[in-house]
Amino acid sequence: MPKGDVLVEAQHLRRSFGSRTVLDDVSLTLRAGEVTGFVGANGAGKTTTIRLMLDLARGAGTTLFLGRPLHAWGSPGNVVGAVLGGIAGHPKHRVRSHLRMVAAGCGASDRRVDDMLELVGLTQAAGLRLSQLSLGMAQRVGIAQALLGDPPVLILDEPANGLDPHAIRWLRDFLRDQAAQGRAVMVSSHLLGEMEQLADRVVVLSRGRVVAASPVAELLSRAGSRSVVTVQTPDLAGLTRLVEEQGGRLRPAGGPSAHITGLDRIRVGALAAEGGVVLHWLSEDMPSLEDFYLSIAEEEFRIS
Amino acid sequence: MTAPVTHTEQDTGAPASPPPAPRVVPAGEAFRNACRYEWRHLAALRSTWVLLGVVAVLSLLTGPSLLLDLDRTRAIGAAQMGDVLAWSPMATQIPLLCFFVLILGTGPVSTDLVRGAARTTWLAVNGRRTAYAAKCAVGFLVGAGVAATSALVGAVSAAVVLAAAGAPQPAWAAVLLPVVRFVLWMGCWALLCTALVALLRNRITPVVLLCLWPVLGERLAGLLLGYVPGLDGVGDWLPFAVGRAMLTDVSAFAGDDKAFAEVMVGSDLPTLAALVVYLLYTAALTAAGYWAYCRREAPTG
């Protein structure tokens, strides 16, 4: 599948519990060769969205996988691989037996099971019962399970939960690799910082609504517009006047220090030089994607 | 500020080839895959094989149990022999029921809905409908197969013991029909268990219900219904009374045996009518289970 092709199209997903709407008109697309980060605070509706997309829960809206509803394909495991909180199976089943069972369901061979166990580095753990797996091992078995049907779409719900930094790094590289092979990968997380290093695109969910959806670079650029310039000057009044004339905002931070928003440090430096204001300190803090996301979420909270 | 996105391709051992475009899998193939999934679910559990082993060993006791009350001068009637294979080895009934109620009947659905494996099942096979149909098909076939094998082992054991004791053999060809009804009954048991777990989304309640209702609950209900004007015949039509009537051809017994059989069966319906009614009960409950299972959401966690 050529990179950029839309493989998954979720439209107008909605879910309510009585009068409480937990998901409101959520639409998103996943493209071949891209990792899409799906970000939101705990309780924002990420898992609910994924469950609706996969028809594991009831709600309104449609999701098409390569142009068809998931079950119109006849074998969902060949279309989408999902990792939803590790592994779900009979606790007495052994890892290899469990995976062979799933392989039978999606028409994959037993050989594929061994290949996938090797891929996720769990060949040695194939004889363990599911109840004996650590959280990290369960996540890896979940990934092996998701790949059994060799699907073009991978959806992972908070896959980094419970993983140590080494495993997170492995997961990040692994998912980038999967996208590089042409898969559409969707990863949900409540940590936007993770996405800066992993995702091509980010969809931000807040209180059941999509509040931002764009390439990571674009989102970072938008986040950049919210930078904070820190200055120290003996003439705060003069600098305040210059900044406000240019549409910026200066907040005193104690003594000769102040924080300026709405202008970047180059503009502030130039203004000070033109206006004859002496600066003893000039620096700019770019907010991380995390801070940006938190500010969006905060705004959403205030609006609602 | 975090470093900008740099997507280096590191060696994670992933196969380099791109995923193939999926193909639409026909409904028949999807159903077969789902059946293989269900069979592997059962086969991967040690308890399945342990209980099957117990069933096989106890089935062998059918023959020796005949010696307790053996008339060496007369051949055992076909209906009585069918009854022996289906009912008499009570020791066999217990593991059989354990197998049917716990492993075959309640296990597959409760793993999905109670233990939370529904998301695995529904994404591996083609959703709820295919999954439920496969559970029923595999449950029925395995249940019927185990019952048939158990009956066969029991029959061989009985034939050997009768031969060794110098007693005449029954008309084995005529035993076939009662055994077929027994096999059907056991297949239906698996369906009833599956449906009940889907309806109640609980494992313990159906097990208790299925163990106590046929023995106590239904007889009590039949008795009480007998006191309600106009409902005195309803007891004959209750599900397990009908099931017992389907299994045991009371008309083939005579004398005291007949009176005893009538009391044990608890229904006056003829065998064929009972068979039809029992199958209808099973179909209705299976359909209700299907409806309930398809409405469920995959448990989270």
Side-chain angles (χ1 to χ4, degrees):
Chain A
M1 266 143 287
K3 183 172 177 177
D5 273 12
V6 172
L7 299 191
V8 181
E9 197 167 14
Q11 288 188 321
H12 312 300
L13 301 180
R14 193 184 300 271
R15 176 157 161 115
S16 303
F17 292 110
S19 60
R20 194 166 70 92
T21 301
V22 293
L23 215 58
D24 186 10
D25 201 24
V26 170
S27 298
L28 55 90
T29 54
L30 307 182
R31 295 167 190 277
E34 286 187 355
V35 177
T36 301
F38 191 43
V39 190
N42 289 330
K46 302 184 297 293
T47 302
T48 304
T49 303
I50 290 172
R51 283 162 54 80
L52 284 182
M53 288 171 71
L54 297 172
D55 192 29
L56 298 175
R58 299 293 185 198
T62 56
T63 304
L64 301 180
F65 290 80
L66 288 89
R68 296 168 191 264
L70 186 56
H71 295 300
W73 285 99
S75 182
N78 300 127
V79 179
V80 58
V83 185
L84 310 177
I87 196 87
H90 197 293
K92 297 285 185 193
H93 276 171
R94 295 184 191 280
V95 170
R96 182 175 277 120
S97 305
H98 172 84
L99 292 180
R100 284 186 173 179
M101 175 185 80
V102 176
C106 60
S109 67
D110 289 348
R111 171 75 193 275
R112 175 95 183 148
V113 169
D114 294 332
D115 290 346
M116 291 303 103
L117 279 173
E118 195 180 335
L119 179 66
V120 299
L122 281 182
T123 304
Q124 303 296 319
L128 291 179
R129 294 187 193 281
L130 297 190
S131 58
Q132 293 174 309
L133 298 177
S134 67
L135 198 52
M137 289 165 97
Q139 292 283 28
R140 284 182 182 233
V141 174
I143 290 169
Q145 178 182 307
L147 287 170
L148 281 174
D150 206 3
V153 180
L154 281 180
I155 295 179
L156 301 94
D157 189 17
E158 305 266 7
N161 274 1
L163 298 186
D164 57 39
H166 178 75
I168 290 176
R169 168 109 191 234
W170 173 85
L171 180 71
R172 196 163 57 217
D173 294 341
F174 178 82
L175 293 177
R176 285 304 325 165
D177 236 23
Q178 297 302 316
Q181 288 171 29
R183 287 192 168 89
V185 180
M186 177 180 177
V187 184
S188 83
S189 174
H190 61 278
L191 301 171
L192 194 55
E194 272 178 21
M195 295 305 151
E196 290 188 58
Q197 304 190 34
L198 172 63
D200 300 293
R201 297 173 59 81
V202 173
V203 176
V204 182
L205 198 69
S206 177
R207 298 168 71 86
R209 280 185 292 178
V210 173
V211 292
S214 61
V216 169
E218 196 178 297
L219 210 58
L220 278 169
S221 154
R222 280 174 63 191
S225 70
R226 299 186 179 207
S227 66
V228 177
V229 176
T230 302
V231 292
Q232 283 184 4
T233 174
D235 185 7
L236 266 182
L239 188 62
T240 303
R241 183 175 45 79
L242 291 172
V243 166
E244 286 178 350
E245 277 175 6
Q246 295 300 315
R249 187 167 169 233
L250 185 145
R251 279 182 294 114
S257 300
H259 296 309
I260 297 169
T261 52
L263 299 174
D264 64 19
R265 73 176 193 287
I266 294 169
R267 187 82 188 106
V268 171
L271 277 177
E274 287 164 11
V277 174
V278 175
L279 294 182
H280 295 157
W281 181 269
L282 176 66
S283 66
E284 185 173 10
D285 291 322
M286 303 287 281
S288 67
L289 218 46
E290 190 78 39
D291 297 331
F292 177 58
Y293 150 67
L294 285 173
S295 68
I296 289 177
E298 201 176 310
E299 275 173 26
E300 277 290 312
F301 184 74
R302 277 204 303 270
I303 291 166
S304 61
Chain B
M1 159 121 183
T2 320
V5 184
T6 49
H7 299 320
T8 54
E9 285 186 356
Q10 297 194 15
D11 180 19
T12 52
S17 58
R23 68 181 175 92
V24 175
V25 174
E29 186 181 337
F31 178 69
R32 279 196 302 278
N33 286 343
C35 288
R36 288 177 63 217
Y37 175 97
E38 290 302 331
W39 167 245
R40 286 191 170 189
H41 170 93
L42 290 172
L45 292 171
R46 188 195 290 169
S47 50
T48 302
W49 300 104
V50 168
L51 273 171
L52 280 179
V54 173
V55 169
V57 169
L58 290 178
S59 295
L60 286 170
L61 297 180
T62 305
S65 72
L66 286 175
L67 293 173
L68 298 174
D69 184 24
L70 183 62
D71 181 354
R72 288 180 171 77
T73 60
R74 269 188 320 132
I76 302 174
Q80 285 83 350
M81 193 65 223
D83 208 43
V84 166
L85 293 177
W87 290 112
S88 294
M90 288 307 291
T92 310
Q93 287 293 320
I94 293 166
L96 261 181
L97 289 183
C98 283
F99 178 74
F100 282 90
V101 174
L102 293 172
I103 307 289
L104 196 57
T106 61
V109 177
S110 69
T111 303
D112 279 359
L113 299 182
V114 183
R115 293 186 194 273
R119 62 179 190 258
T120 298
T121 304
W122 298 345
L123 290 175
V125 307
N126 194 25
R128 298 165 175 81
R129 293 175 182 181
T130 311
Y132 188 81
K135 284 176 201 306
C136 288
V138 170
F140 182 87
L141 288 176
V142 174
V146 169
T149 309
S150 164
L152 183 66
V153 171
V156 170
S157 153
V160 169
V161 166
L162 289 174
Q169 297 285 336
W172 285 111
V175 176
L176 199 58
L177 200 59
V179 167
V180 167
R181 292 200 302 267
F182 167 62
V183 167
L184 264 178
W185 153 273
M186 282 303 191
C188 289
W189 250 100
L191 296 182
L192 292 174
C193 297
T194 301
L196 216 50
V197 180
L199 282 167
L200 300 176
R201 202 170 51 175
N202 177 295
R203 194 176 189 189
I204 304 302
T205 312
V207 169
V208 171
L209 205 63
L210 287 166
C211 289
L212 293 183
W213 177 256
V215 182
L216 294 173
E218 196 176 272
R219 287 181 185 276
L220 206 61
L223 200 68
L224 292 174
L225 284 171
Y227 290 110
V228 180
L231 294 180
D232 55 337
V234 171
D236 284 0
W237 295 80
L238 292 175
F240 289 97
V242 165
R244 287 188 295 271
M246 156 193 165
L247 275 179
T248 305
D249 183 5
V250 178
S251 65
F253 291 80
D256 289 347
D257 285 350
K258 184 168 186 172
F260 179 71
E262 278 172 351
V263 171
M264 289 306 288
V265 168
S267 170
D268 292 336
L269 284 185
T271 313
L272 190 61
L275 171 69
V276 172
V277 175
Y278 188 69
L279 291 181
L280 287 175
Y281 269 124
T282 305
L285 202 61
T286 303
Y290 172 82
W291 172 81
Y293 186 84
C294 291
R295 280 170 51 90
R296 299 287 184 210
E297 295 193 348
T300 52

